[in-house]
């Protein structure tokens, strides 16, 4: 067994009690773009369950960066509600982080309060909406919003911020040749495609340093389809992220609008997903979902072999995420040179998973079976494991049983 898992780690100015972080996983528990009692209770349970740090997700840096109505929009009005959460998390001995980002083209007018904007003009199937390419002044404003969001997070008592630069959110829409078709200084060469990321990181890192917060970046090792970012280019991007002096890079992959299961792996319960979708979308998902959503089989530590290539190329702290379900897997990641590990589904399934690892024997495993009910449900209800839901509709139970 690795000896480092339950040792403290200094993440920039913050000391974590151990090497585990609850990964940013959209809870779908917000109301009016702000926090709720349910959101607080969930993160307090995770903190009580032993993690070093828990991450609230996802918080948009401005209104146009919201993709769901139950997300957070980081602004002064919600600071008191967030402060209640961070105080309660701290009382449990854990640190508190918040993921900040902008969803770019993955939204709808009704949520964003304006026409969706992205790196380039187009039509987004994810939200069935036309998208307008961002003007220069919008690009500059959103970059500044990243700095403002960091300061707001500090006012709310967070110890750390995670900049979302992966998964097809706005920064990765600029980075990826698949979504960036610009002909100006923000498009074309890799240097140009990284310009927006550099602007956002410049603002966010400066703000974090000024207010004594840790800062990490979630980055795509690859987008998960032909025409997107691949590992060699992604390593070059990671080197630039590292040059900003961030406290850690979280290595992930996949584009939620094109290859969502490349991010999370495992099965996707199509009927369940359609059940929780608005009526107008329900039958489209039921009929077209199996063809549109590419499957990526789940495997423990599914990103580890690729993440090791980044470990070999980079010097700074790296955070492993993806398919951690056992002590053996966590130790494997830590022993491969990653300073910290993040987990999402193991903690959706059981917020006390880390405490069980500490108290249990080496064979302790998460009971999550990666049938991904939590993902199907998250879009319109909240993020919950099927194991915590009573009285599920019969057809959902049957579908979850039927999946191999
Ligand atoms: C329900 C759910 C919601 C998620 N939402 C986000 C999110 O808002 N931001 C993000 O960066 N990743 C999100 N993810 C991805 C996780 O952070 C993580 O990268 C991925 O699930 C792999 O970790 P795991 O195998 O421990 O679950 C989400 C995952 C799940 C299961």
């Amino acid at each position: 067994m690795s000896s480092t898992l339950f040792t403290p780690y200094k993440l920039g100015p913050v000391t974590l009690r151990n090497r585990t972080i609850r990964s940013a996983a959209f809870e779908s528990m917000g109301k009016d773009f702000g926090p709720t009692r349910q959101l607080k209770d969930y993160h307090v349970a995770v903190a009580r369950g032993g993690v070093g740090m828990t991450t609230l997700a996802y918080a948009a840096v401005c209104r146009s960066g919201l993709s769901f109505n139950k997300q957070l929009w980081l602004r002064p009005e919600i600071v008191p509600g967030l402060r209640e959460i961070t105080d309660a998390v701290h009382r449990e001995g854990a640190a508190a982080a918040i993921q900040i980002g902008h969803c770019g083209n993955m939204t709808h007018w009704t949520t964003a309060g304006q026409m969706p904007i992205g790196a380039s003009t187009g039509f987004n199937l994810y939200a069935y909406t036309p998208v307008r390419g961002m003007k220069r002044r919008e690009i500059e404003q959103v970059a500044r919003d990243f700095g403002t969001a960091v300061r707001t997070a500090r006012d709310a008592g967070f110890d750390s911020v995670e900049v979302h630069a992966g998964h097809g959110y706005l920064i990765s829409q600029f980075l990826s040749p698949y979504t960036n078709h610009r002909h100006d200084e923000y498009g074309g060469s890799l240097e140009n495609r990284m310009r927006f990321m550099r602007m956002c990181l410049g603002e966010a890192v400066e703000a974090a340093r000024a207010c004594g917060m840790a800062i990490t970046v979630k980055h795509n090792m690859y987008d998960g389809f032909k025409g997107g970012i691949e590992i060699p280019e992604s390593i070059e991007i990671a080197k630039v992220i590292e040059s900003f002096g961030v406290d850690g890079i979280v290595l992930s992959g996949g584009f939620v609008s094109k290859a969502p299961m490349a991010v999370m792996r495992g099965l996707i319960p199509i009927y369940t997903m359609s059940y929780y979708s608005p009526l107008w979308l329900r039958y489209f998902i039921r009929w077209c979902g199996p063809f549109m959503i590419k499957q990526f089989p789940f495997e423990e530590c599914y990103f580890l072999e690729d993440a090791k290539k980044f470990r070999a190329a980079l010097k700074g702290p790296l955070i492993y995420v993806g398919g951690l379900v056992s002590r053996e897997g966590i130790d494997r990641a830590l022993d491969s040179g990653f300073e910290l590990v993040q987990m999402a589904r193991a903690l959706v399934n059981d917020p006390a998973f880390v405490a069980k690892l500490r108290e249990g024997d080496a064979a302790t495993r998460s009971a999550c079976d990666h049938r991904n009910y939590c993902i199907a449900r998250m879009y319109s209800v909240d993020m919950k494991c099927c194991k915590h839901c009573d009285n599920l509709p019969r057809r959902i139970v049957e579908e979850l049983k039927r999946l191999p």
Side-chain angles (χ1 to χ4, degrees):
M1 273 201 278
S2 161
S3 54
T4 54
L5 174 57
F6 289 107
T7 59
Y9 181 76
K10 209 161 163 356
L11 183 73
V14 190
T15 300
L16 309 185
R17 62 183 165 186
N18 61 45
R19 305 302 179 105
T20 62
I21 300 175
R22 188 270 188 189
S23 171
F26 174 42
E27 305 86 359
S28 199
M29 294 176 187
K31 188 164 181 275
D32 303 326
F33 308 128
T36 57
R37 179 67 198 250
Q38 187 190 15
L39 185 65
K40 175 179 164 187
D41 289 346
Y42 173 72
H43 283 282
V44 169
V46 173
R48 190 171 298 151
V51 293
M53 180 160 78
T54 188
T55 312
L56 271 69
Y58 139 104
V61 297
C62 57
R63 172 82 200 259
S64 63
L66 288 159
S67 52
F68 292 105
N69 291 334
K70 292 187 178 183
Q71 281 171 348
L72 303 173
W73 164 19
L74 202 44
R75 61 200 195 284
E77 294 90 305
I78 70 165
V79 163
L82 290 175
R83 179 52 91 167
E84 280 186 35
I85 300 181
T86 55
D87 285 347
V89 164
H90 290 148
R91 280 197 292 276
E92 298 296 340
I98 186 162
Q99 184 182 56
I100 59 171
H102 190 293
C103 67
N105 65 15
M106 293 188 294
T107 187
H108 195 269
W109 190 89
T110 49
T111 304
Q114 63 168 76
M115 184 172 184
I117 50 175
S120 298
T121 300
F123 187 85
N124 183 21
L125 260 182
Y126 184 84
Y128 308 95
T129 175
V131 175
R132 179 172 58 71
M134 287 167 77
K135 302 190 169 88
R136 283 191 176 85
R137 63 173 169 72
E138 287 173 317
I139 292 174
E140 288 158 11
Q141 181 58 52
V142 172
R144 281 194 297 274
D145 290 339
F146 272 85
T148 308
V150 172
R151 287 185 284 273
T152 309
R154 185 63 202 169
D155 292 343
F158 287 98
D159 306 287
S160 186
V161 285
E162 178 180 284
V163 174
H164 202 349
H167 296 179
Y169 281 68
L170 185 60
I171 295 179
S172 76
Q173 286 167 31
F174 271 88
L175 291 172
S176 180
Y178 174 75
T179 35
N180 185 340
H181 308 127
R182 298 180 74 100
H183 298 293
D184 59 5
E185 68 273 31
Y186 295 99
S189 66
L190 177 61
E191 206 42 56
N192 279 357
R193 283 182 278 125
M194 286 195 294
R195 195 176 305 277
F196 176 60
M197 178 189 81
R198 284 182 188 273
M199 289 162 66
C200 298
L201 289 185
E203 297 282 344
V205 172
E206 189 189 325
R209 292 294 166 247
C211 53
M213 288 177 91
I215 180 162
T216 61
V217 178
K218 195 160 184 178
H219 171 59
N220 260 18
M221 295 187 289
Y222 46 82
D223 291 339
F225 50 85
K226 209 163 173 272
I229 296 269
E230 304 284 356
I231 288 178
E233 203 173 51
S234 174
I235 289 179
E236 296 313 306
I237 299 168
K239 285 182 181 166
V240 172
I241 297 174
E242 191 174 70
S243 74
F244 278 85
V246 298
D247 301 305
I249 303 178
V250 186
L251 296 168
S252 189
F255 233 64
V256 287
S257 59
K258 172 104 174 128
M261 297 318 290
V263 180
M264 282 148 318
R265 312 291 165 102
L267 303 157
I268 190 73
I270 295 286
Y271 172 82
T272 306
M273 197 170 214
S274 71
Y275 177 90
Y276 290 120
S277 300
L279 198 59
W280 62 271
L281 197 55
R282 208 164 279 179
Y283 291 94
F284 179 75
I285 291 183
R286 222 168 279 177
W287 293 324
C288 303
F291 306 104
M292 288 180 67
I293 306 176
K294 190 175 165 204
Q295 303 280 330
F296 290 82
F298 180 84
E299 190 188 320
E300 192 166 354
C301 299
Y302 53 82
F303 278 143
L304 191 56
E305 288 313 306
D306 291 325
K308 282 185 193 170
K309 297 175 189 154
F310 287 72
R311 180 64 291 167
L314 300 164
K315 295 189 184 69
L318 293 179
I319 304 172
Y320 178 77
V321 70
L324 293 179
V325 286
S326 70
R327 176 76 199 247
E328 188 274 323
I330 293 172
D331 286 345
R332 205 148 30 105
L334 292 173
D335 292 344
S336 302
F338 296 90
E339 278 75 7
L340 293 159
V341 292
Q342 288 195 349
M343 286 177 275
R345 284 163 295 181
L347 297 167
V348 175
N349 174 268
D350 182 358
F353 182 58
V354 173
K356 287 183 184 153
L357 287 175
R358 199 180 46 223
E359 289 149 17
D361 58 33
T364 305
R365 280 187 83 81
S366 164
C368 172
D369 56 16
H370 303 94
R371 282 158 202 238
N372 292 322
Y373 170 83
C374 59
I375 297 169
R377 179 184 166 103
M378 164 194 80
Y379 290 105
S380 63
V381 191
D382 55 18
M383 178 221 57
K384 250 190 197 164
C385 178
C386 57
K387 310 243 156 62
H388 305 308
C389 300
D390 298 325
N391 304 323
L392 283 179
R394 183 180 52 81
R395 283 191 67 184
I396 290 186
V397 175
E398 280 171 9
E399 180 179 48
L400 294 174
K401 268 198 200 138
R402 204 172 48 242
L403 292 173

